[in-house]
Amino acid sequence: ETTLTQSPAFMSATPGDKVNISCKASQDIDDDLNWYQQKPGEAAIFLIHEATTLVPGIPPRFSGSGYGTDFTLTINNIESEDAAYYFCLQHDTFPYTFGQGTKLEIK
Amino acid sequence: QITLKESGPTLVKPTQTLTLTCTFSGFSLSTTGISVAWIRQPPAKALEWLALIYWDDDKRYSPSLKTRLTITKDTSKSQVVLTMTNMDPVDTATYYCAHSRGYDIFDYWGQGTLVTVSS
């Protein structure tokens, strides 16, 4: 089973900031990593697939990078609406596994 | 527009069997490449993938829960059903269903349903 170690668990940012969220896999998963955003009581939103590809309709301030075992979600020019829970998913091998999640607070 | 909605009991007793239904619209689970999965998140813990069913009725289960889970589909009703036997308080979680198409894994999610296991 592939373990995803996501960090930080919590972060606080100010509008206009740039933030990075890390996701490290316990073994090589190529680019089989997705990123999601979730707000309380709402369905999760698909942000990035195959590590770097932005889902259509997602603002370009969101970007993804990485390959193999180290991945990063970057949010540029943070907006107040970006306050949410972010998580990564690996779909390289079953069982699919998730990172522990990051709660992003906007001051 | 693809939507998914989870339904089922909010409270189950230990040892009981949980049955959850995912009712969806905007796609057919008979279309090649489509799958629906169940995922859960215990309070303040990480998400956990449980099971997945493909358009051709192929199924995958979490190895740690495989003996307790059954996933089925009813294409005519646009539903996917998950049963989990021998429920325990540690199974208290919000349960989600999610759609995938080809390599777009979990591109649409339901809002989730909270299930509490308590006597």
Side-chain angles (χ1 to χ4, degrees), chain B residues 44-76:
Chain B
K45 293 191 176 180
L47 292 148
E48 179 183 19
W49 171 76
L50 301 177
L52 182 150
I53 188 165
Y54 291 95
W55 80 97
D56 60 359
D57 211 38
D58 191 15
K59 300 164 188 178
R60 296 285 187 271
Y61 292 101
S62 166
S64 62
L65 293 167
K66 183 180 175 120
T67 60
R68 299 173 54 206
L69 296 175
T70 302
I71 190 169
T72 60
K73 63 181 176 70
D74 186 331
T75 304
S76 65

Side-chain angles (χ1 to χ4, degrees), chain B residues 68-87:
Chain B
R68 299 173 54 206
L69 296 175
T70 302
I71 190 169
T72 60
K73 63 181 176 70
D74 186 331
T75 304
S76 65
K77 292 183 179 178
S78 295
Q79 291 180 333
V80 171
V81 174
L82 181 76
T83 60
M84 180 180 292
T85 61
N86 194 25
M87 293 292 284

